[in-house]
Structures are given as structure tokens and as C-alpha cells.
Amino acid sequence: MGNSFTIVLEDHDKLTEMCGVNDENLKTIEDLIGSKIYSQGNEIRLDSDNVEKQSLFREIIRKMQQYQQEGRFIDSVLIKTTTDSIVNHHALDRALLERKSIILPGGTKVYPRSVRQAAYIENIENNEIVFGVGPAGTGKTYLAVAAALREVLSKNKKKLIITRPVVEAGESLGFLPGDLTQKLNPYLKPIYDAMDRFLSYEMIAKMEENRLIEIAPLAYMRGRSLNDSFIILDEAQNTTRAQMKMFLTRIGEGSQAIITGDVTQIDLSSDDKSGLIHAVDILKGINGISFTFFDTRDVVRKKIMKYIIQAYEKDSGR
């Protein structure tokens, strides 16, 4: 075709992977460029003779090929982030996205899928206390767990301590069956879901048995000094001011903490101000403490989740 531009890939499998399930990635690139894209065999074709569109198309495909070689998972979020950095000449954003990753012992690599995720990883690398604040599906807990397991499995930290406030919804923790860990398991399911991505069930159980992974409700942190540990405080929006202060002052020598939360999902009574919101207000500017704020543009779990979150945000503004 005289008005088209074609790129030939190495093989059909590479093209299929790049196009995504039901050509979802291809449709994303079409929307971003504003022209139809077709694929056949090991060729991908842009239906446009516009030089600028062709240049952008070529650069997007080149970056996707690079990501394939690195073993990254290509999805619409990564494509949009990369395209934005190309269009707006955000070379620093693109460089951050490309160079940041979490590599666990054994070779498992976790790559960021948005610029904010890359910045979050960088903050984890360079700060003692890191806050990851934003809606569900942005990867804040997933990346925290990956970073924590890397440090513990590499023996840079003695143990991983996982905690969260237990905000009860009509059912007392004391009446739930089982020991403390079993009582807490439903509350910590997102953490376990993340660990399952990196380790086998047997490995997780063995680490818990050897106290390399310790599970505890936030109230059990009082009076402790947590040294040489990697600590994750999840669902921090449900801490009170006093609980957040207590937690932050437990972080001992050689320890690092990541605090994650979503300020749109606070289950505290109206009389209690979220300790997470308060901490964000008063701790900015302190050396060694960093904040990464995610929004709906960073949702990577499933495309429809982004629209659900946006719908609720609009409704809350009425």
C-alpha cells in the first residue's frame, strides 16, 4: 500500500506477544497514534503516510522489541507510559523506566510498568522509610514485597516483618479460629498473593518457620525495637495518628520500612484522622523519607479497574 509503513519483526511469535491478547496492545498503539495498524505473519503495518506518525510508530515498536528482549511483560500501561515519554521528550522518565528493576536471588526480575513505579523502586533503593500512596492496582504492595524478599533472601536484612492495622468489621479478631498467623491471614491476603508470585508455598512456609518472615498485627509492634529488618506496613490508611507514630518510632538500626495505603479506602470511625494522611502532612522534607503518590494512570492490575476507580472518584465529588 502506498500510504502505509511496515516494520518486519524477527518472527511471528514475537509479533503475537507484542500485539497482546485479542490485539489489545495493538489497539492501544492505534489509539495513541490515531491510525489503523495491521499485523500479518511477522509484519506490522501502520496505515498512514504521515512522517511524524511513522516515526512515532517506529520508536514505539523499537522500545517494545527492547522490552521483549529484557523479558518484560508488555501491556497497555507500559505502552502508554513509553509513548508519553517519547512524545513529550521525557528522556529522564524513559531512562528511569528502562534502568530500574528489582532482581531477586535466583534471577527473577521485576520491572516497573510506569514511570511512577520506577520512581518508587528508586525511592526504595535510596531511603530508609518509603511511603507508597495510591489506589488499588498500582503495584505499590507488589513492588514492596519484591524489594523486601530481595533484601531478606540476599541476607542484607535478617527478616521480613509484615504488619497492618486490624480494623474489624463486626467480627472480633479474638473470636476468629486458629493461631495468630491464621487469624491474620485474611487481612494479609494481598501480601501473600504478592509473595506467591515470587516464591513457592513451601518456601514461604519454611521462611515463616525459621522466622525469616514474621506476621504481626500493628498493635503487637508496641514496645519493640525492629533492627536489621525489612518492614512492610500495609493498609496504612487505617492507622490512627498514635499508631503511625508508634510504628515509625519502632524502626531500629539497620532497618528499612515501606508504608503503603490508599486514602480513598479509610475504614476508621469519623472521629479518627488517618495516621497515613497525617504522616504525609508532617513528614515531607525529612531526609531519608520519601513519598511516591500513584493515581489512576498507574493502575496496572486490569484496565477496567482504572475506569471503576475513576467512576467512584467522580461520584465522590458530587
Side-chain angles (χ1 to χ4, degrees), residues 128 148 151-161 211-214 224-232 250-257:
E128 296 174 58
E151 294 302 295
V152 174
L153 292 173
S154 301
K155 300 184 179 179
N156 295 325
K157 295 287 185 283
K158 287 184 178 179
K159 65 168 65 176
L160 165 58
I161 299 174
R211 298 188 63 79
L212 294 176
I213 297 176
E214 180 182 337
R224 299 182 62 182
S225 181
L226 308 175
N227 298 319
D228 300 313
S229 302
F230 201 112
I231 313 152
I232 296 176
R250 298 304 94 205
I251 302 169
E253 196 67 33
S255 286
Q256 182 177 7

Side-chain angles (χ1 to χ4, degrees), residues 206-226:
K206 185 176 180 180
M207 291 179 72
E208 288 183 329
E209 184 180 334
N210 294 331
R211 298 188 63 79
L212 294 176
I213 297 176
E214 180 182 337
I215 312 292
L218 183 58
Y220 283 45
M221 297 293 105
R222 188 175 300 279
R224 299 182 62 182
S225 181
L226 308 175

Side-chain angles (χ1 to χ4, degrees), residues 130-144:
V130 176
F131 286 81
V133 183
T138 51
K140 55 190 185 295
T141 299
Y142 175 77
L143 292 173

